[in-house]
Amino acid sequence: MVATKGPALPPSPVALAFPHIQWDPLGSLRLTAQETALLRMAETNPIEYTLADSRDASMYARVLLKLLAEAAAAGAVTGEVSKITTSCTEEQALDALDADPLGVVVHYAITKLHSIISTLMDGSSVTVSTVFYVGKDGVLVDQWKALLRVLNKGGKGDAFAQSGAALCLALILITSCPSVQQQAKSMLGKDGKPVKVRPVSYTSAVEPLEALTAWIVSQLKSSSSQTVGLAIPAMSALMGPTESRLLFAASGGIKYLSRQLRSGGKKTSKAESQSKTSSASVQQLYELTFCLWTMTYELNGSYSIRADFAKDGAAVQALTELVTIAPREKVVRVALSALRNLATCTANDDTGPAGTPKVDSSVFLTDMIACRLMKAIEFLRDRQFTDPDILDDVDTLHKLLMENYKEMSRWEVYKTEVESGHLQWGSTHTEAFFKENARMMEGPDGDFKLLKVLIALLSSKDEDVAAIACHDIGEFVRHYPNGRAIVKRLGAKEMVMPLIEHDNVELQRHALQCVSKIMVQHWEYVK
């Protein structure tokens, strides 16, 4: 097996200014004569030549990290260059160099660092571990903190610098993961010979990995696709090793990744309906889905990851929506593969703490039925896909869902749907269903627990969910003896009333009907 380069770094918008950087006037960088000479030498020679000797490679990397540290300390990451987001002409790039030379230096240092790392990962005799880890124990160099400093500039930071620094840091840190080290021992260089692997201290990289993961998750919490986009290259790099996947999950990454997919999928679906979907938005959706799919490969070995995927049914809902709106075949392929992994996972290797409910494929299949995945799968079976993996995943999911569905009564399907919070119009939201099942709302303990969940869903931000909750509560009132008094006692009336004035006409209509059913004995005669 041959080493790979990792995620690509897009060109800096001011890249055309790099050859014109003058090092001598930039006194705030505090470069020595030797460091300046090394930078100039690296510019005149191919990168492979500079990296052929481990001492030269290490010194070059440290000089670039020093550039970052000194420039960032001088406020470079918030200057004029940080405001430039599109590629500049040479004239514009030179203007940027005049106005904010340190900002251009930051872009230069990150571009060169990524070039070093990519070259070293591509089967070079000198490796990332020999350049960025020192001493007999292979401890991470202290200068890594310069990259973190760029990230911590927050919302005022430079988009290219933040994304590039995060990616470089991720690629440096994952080298220390034991699973990567084990894999590296079997790798071959370009000459066909095994790559020499030196000892590396994973312990020295854990704290930086945690800091980087926390930054990535903080970006995922944002409602801005641009902010989320900053973290995707680094996050994609962390999806490789098991150790960094587990750190990502422990930081709440699965939850926020699922949320991004739901909101991103809805935006893409809306844009498609208006024929305005950009390839960039679909690409971002694909990359986020790819990361969530990668995490599903830890399901069998980790109870906590299965529990994270099962929490609130958010992951299954997000993946189901992607399969339903089918923005592009590549997104559908990865989403289906993730759903299949969820539908076939086991709890044999890590059953979880004593006393906790079992989380395995049956939990996820139940969520899939509640989210109406069956309907989407039926639709996909009629489409002409050329990818055999998609066809296989569709057939497998259809079979598993049918087997699980046959074992569930209509009431169990409805109960699962309500508990998941992902309500969708269907045969369980009808007068006939409530005539038959209204008494089941009492629950085994007579506490009307499911009715309380429905009432809570009245405040859902999803207007369709709130409308269906209004409908179901109204039908319960009609078909359960004294249902009117029960829903009043549980506070439903106070929650429905404001929805009568909602901007969404459909929600407004269902809220008005629900209030009528609560207030009037023979509501259907009210005009």
Side-chain angles (χ1 to χ4, degrees), residues 6 33 40 96 102 122 182 185 228 280 285 288 296 299 332 376 388 427 429 431 499 502:
R40 287 176 177 146
L102 294 184
D122 198 24
Q182 188 61 37
K185 292 176 182 176
V228 173
L285 206 55
L288 291 170
T296 63
L299 287 165
V332 173
S427 62
H429 304 287
E431 179 182 5
L499 299 178
H502 199 279

Side-chain angles (χ1 to χ4, degrees), residues 262-275:
R262 286 206 69 193
S263 60
K266 287 179 180 178
K267 288 175 187 174
T268 303
S269 178
K270 186 176 180 181
E272 281 213 336
S273 67
Q274 299 169 351
S275 301

Side-chain angles (χ1 to χ4, degrees), residues 48 54 104 132 137 148 223 329 375 384 418 423 467 477:
E48 291 80 6
S54 61
V104 175
F132 294 97
D137 296 325
L148 189 65
S223 59
E329 185 170 311
K375 183 178 178 182
Q384 301 298 314
V418 174
L423 305 183
V477 167

Side-chain angles (χ1 to χ4, degrees), residues 116 206 270 318 355 404 422:
I116 289 175
V206 169
K270 186 176 180 181
N404 211 59
H422 308 305

